[in-house]
Amino acid sequence: IDELRRAVTSADWAGFFAEGRMQVKAEAAWSASELRCERLKGLCRACGAERVFEIGGFCGVASLAMAEVLPEDGEVISLELDRFVVDFGEAIKAKSDHFQKITNIIGQAKHTLDRFVERAKDPEGAWQPFNMIIVDADKAGMLDYLKLLLETPGMLSDGGVLCLDITP
């Protein structure tokens, strides 16, 4: 995690954007700090998380931190709009024994949430609710995401934790 965080901090994000490698102009500050990672790990432990959904994963620092404290069969599903930031530091992330617990989905949050809602509503499906959901993307759409997550039975488990990052 520390190696990945250093790579994110030293990267030329403005240059990547100027070169057209990214869809959104990102900043290293978007990466989860050590304190944030410790808090997310603590929340995972406190709610007994086995299945985490992260909306807005950036380069995966927080995803990797949470994966470390999940059980062997636990999973983090991380949604991110930009493939470049998901692929950033892939070799570093792959060094972790917990990286296999992370599934990245590339695309618009609204589209993925709509698909998840349909799967959660399917009475014969194999859908499992999330124990923890972190929403840290698209501040303009956050209220819609929150309503969808809270109003869809089966999205969040009983006693599950929903975290919203409302910092601008």
Side-chain angles (χ1 to χ4, degrees):
I1 294 172
D2 291 335
E3 183 180 357
L4 179 58
R5 190 178 290 115
R6 283 191 302 274
V8 170
T9 301
S10 65
D12 180 9
W13 295 102
F16 294 150
F17 181 73
E19 294 167 4
R21 297 167 75 181
M22 300 170 51
Q23 295 180 39
V24 177
K25 189 174 181 181
E27 301 175 21
W30 292 4
S31 186
S33 68
E34 187 174 341
L35 177 61
R36 181 183 179 111
C37 287
E38 288 306 314
R39 286 183 176 163
L40 289 171
K41 287 163 65 170
L43 286 170
C44 284
R45 287 185 193 106
C47 72
E50 296 175 6
R51 194 158 189 257
V52 176
F53 183 34
E54 178 185 38
I55 303 171
F58 191 46
C59 294
V61 172
S63 304
L64 199 53
M66 291 183 290
E68 283 185 352
V69 298
L70 297 183
E72 285 305 313
D73 62 345
E75 71 176 325
V76 175
I77 297 177
S78 182
L79 175 60
E80 176 56 52
L81 177 65
D82 199 315
R83 173 166 294 285
F84 180 82
V85 297
V86 170
D87 292 344
F88 183 87
E90 189 79 16
I92 297 169
K93 293 182 268 191
K95 293 178 188 179
S96 170
D97 293 337
H98 304 282
F99 183 56
Q100 81 281 356
K101 297 178 193 176
I102 302 169
T103 301
N104 289 293
I105 299 174
I106 315 286
Q108 299 258 339
K110 178 72 171 111
H111 299 298
T112 300
L113 283 170
D114 288 343
R115 286 195 326 258
F116 281 7
V117 165
E118 290 307 311
R119 290 178 60 196
K121 289 180 180 179
D122 182 0
E124 297 181 27
W127 179 261
Q128 294 293 317
F130 294 103
N131 310 106
M132 189 160 132
I133 300 174
I134 299 104
V135 183
D136 184 14
D138 182 22
K139 305 307 184 205
M142 191 171 280
L143 184 57
D144 292 333
Y145 303 156
L146 179 62
K147 286 180 183 177
L148 193 62
L149 292 166
L150 292 176
E151 293 172 0
T152 303
M155 286 298 285
L156 188 63
S157 65
D158 291 340
V161 173
L162 179 60
C163 302
L164 299 175
D165 184 338
I166 58 171
T167 56

